[in-house]
Amino acid sequence: MEKVKATVAAIELIEKLKAKHGPVLFHQSGGCCDGSSPMCYPRDDFMIGDSDVCLGEIGETPFYMNKKQYEY
């Protein structure tokens, strides 16, 4: 089952981000407000923990979500 997907335009933007900043990842936390929006980080600047679930990849870029947010 596909848990994340992106439009062609989004994939193109991800490629531009990677060309400018190197490898990135997406993370959606369990917080409120902006914290519940997906965020994009340089891959080496964000520590994935036991409370995160990998939903898959978009544009060869991993997408993680807080486990509690995912279960909800």
Side-chain angles (χ1 to χ4, degrees):
M1 182 171 109
E2 193 173 318
K3 295 182 180 169
V4 289
K5 60 184 177 178
T7 65
V8 172
I11 299 294
E12 290 171 355
L13 179 59
I14 292 167
E15 291 304 316
K16 288 179 183 178
L17 288 170
K18 292 190 304 187
K20 185 173 183 175
H21 301 286
V24 296
L25 65 80
F26 294 99
H27 185 272
Q28 185 169 345
S29 74
C32 70
C33 310
D34 287 340
S36 59
S37 300
M39 305 286 189
C40 182
Y41 298 95
R43 206 173 288 187
D44 292 338
D45 286 358
F46 192 88
M47 302 249 335
I48 299 301
D50 292 339
S51 63
D52 297 309
V53 175
C54 184
L55 302 179
E57 292 188 351
I58 51 176
E60 298 178 4
T61 300
F63 191 114
Y64 294 91
M65 178 180 270
N66 177 272
K67 188 183 294 184
K68 288 185 180 182
Q69 177 95 351
Y70 175 74
E71 290 171 355
Y72 179 72

